Amino acid sequence: MSEGFNFRRKFLLKIHEKVGNVEETQMTPEFNNNMQNYETYHDSVTTLVELLEAVNQPDPVVLATGRVDCPKDEDPYDKLRKALEEFQEFIQEDKVGKVARICTKLENAAKTRREYQIKKRACIRHLRRFGSLEYKTLMDNREEFNRARSNMDMAKHDVKQAKTTEQIERRAVLYQQQVEIFDEKCNKLMKLLEELPTIKASHSKDLTELTQCSREYHLAMSEIFK
């Protein structure tokens, strides 16, 4: 109970606003800023992931399937190889070997790109899952927190509206129960907000890993086409 009280004392304003006839507990600017920063960061991560995915796989039709790599023989390098293979019958015989070597390079390039598209997506796994894991958890807990705050404010209002000693005592007990529930939800929400720096560090590692993987990809492709 003391831990919850400390959180509430730090992050709750002592003033209230009336919503109808019920006084509503207001959060401090610090709390609201922390929540806003988390939401802003979520929006930034969402945009970043969309851009990274588009760079990794420029074809939105492929991305719409949930995959990042093209199906077999559907990569642009595959399509170019197939076009050259079909065109081979129209070229001079002394050029066939050269075209065949180009087709082999294109086949290897398509295979390499598919492999690295999968690897690069894996590099940003924490960034990609942020919205469906940490952010969703925070939003779910914020809903629980808001319900607990509303219930606590209503219970306090009921105490003020009590007419007899018996009503006051009974409603005071119910109010205290709601305060304890609110403390629990508040503590949990605050701890989730405090995890953001750790989450950002994890995302930074994702980007470092992606940079290294991208470098390896370009080196591999340059080796194929040298």
Side-chain angles (χ1 to χ4, degrees):
M1 177 66 182
S2 60
E3 182 183 5
F5 177 76
N6 289 336
F7 268 119
R8 290 194 302 116
R9 182 170 56 188
K10 181 178 180 181
F11 288 101
L12 291 183
L13 290 174
K14 297 301 182 182
I15 62 173
H16 297 74
E17 290 185 0
K18 278 200 170 184
V19 179
N21 294 323
V22 179
E23 289 184 340
E24 185 179 74
T25 302
Q26 299 296 301
M27 306 306 290
T28 63
E30 181 180 1
F31 174 90
N32 292 331
N33 288 339
N34 287 343
M35 185 64 70
Q36 182 60 51
N37 288 340
Y38 203 108
E39 293 182 353
T40 299
Y41 182 71
H42 167 258
D43 293 341
S44 298
V45 168
T46 300
T47 300
L48 176 61
V49 169
E50 290 175 352
L51 293 173
L52 292 175
E53 290 274 79
V55 170
N56 195 18
Q57 175 50 264
D59 189 345
V61 175
V62 176
L63 288 176
T65 66
R67 298 177 60 93
V68 72
D69 57 316
C70 292
K72 183 175 175 56
D73 294 331
E74 292 299 320
D75 185 273
Y77 285 128
D78 286 319
K79 293 179 179 180
L80 179 57
R81 171 182 56 80
K82 290 165 65 177
L84 286 175
E85 288 174 345
E86 292 177 3
F87 188 69
Q88 277 184 324
E89 61 179 294
F90 302 107
I91 63 176
Q92 298 176 2
E93 187 174 344
D94 62 332
K95 305 293 185 182
V96 171
K98 183 179 291 186
V99 172
R101 287 193 293 273
I102 293 174
C103 288
T104 299
K105 289 178 180 290
L106 291 171
E107 183 178 13
N108 291 335
K111 179 182 177 182
T112 299
R113 176 148 64 182
R114 278 193 292 269
E115 290 175 353
Y116 274 93
Q117 282 173 328
I118 295 172
K119 289 180 180 179
K120 285 191 283 186
R121 170 175 272 188
C123 289
I124 59 171
R125 56 195 176 278
H126 299 106
L127 280 163
R128 292 182 63 242
R129 296 169 184 168
F130 175 63
S132 60
L133 290 180
E134 292 95 342
Y135 181 72
K136 184 179 185 303
T137 298
L138 181 77
M139 293 298 101
D140 290 344
N141 277 271
R142 185 171 71 171
E143 289 184 9
E144 293 180 6
F145 164 81
N146 287 335
R147 283 196 296 270
R149 179 173 59 171
S150 178
N151 291 339
M152 180 183 68
D153 290 340
M154 181 59 69
K156 183 177 181 180
H157 175 74
D158 289 343
V159 172
K160 291 182 177 181
Q161 297 300 310
K163 303 300 183 182
T164 66
T165 301
E166 181 182 357
Q167 285 182 338
I168 293 174
E169 291 177 349
R170 184 175 68 254
R171 294 180 183 182
V173 171
L174 295 176
Y175 170 64
Q176 183 58 36
Q177 291 174 349
Q178 294 301 324
V179 169
E180 292 176 358
I181 293 173
F182 174 77
D183 281 346
E184 177 186 350
K185 301 301 181 182
C186 184
N187 289 340
K188 190 172 183 180
L189 184 61
M190 290 307 308
K191 289 175 182 177
L192 290 173
L193 287 172
E194 291 170 354
E195 290 175 0
L196 186 57
T198 301
I199 293 171
K200 287 183 177 181
S202 174
H203 293 172
S204 179
K205 290 180 180 179
D206 276 10
L207 295 175
T208 300
E209 188 176 341
L210 175 63
T211 301
Q212 179 61 31
C213 187
S214 296
R215 180 178 183 276
E216 293 173 1
Y217 165 70
H218 289 295
L219 289 175
M221 294 296 276
S222 65
E223 184 68 20
I224 291 173
F225 287 111
K226 69 178 182 179

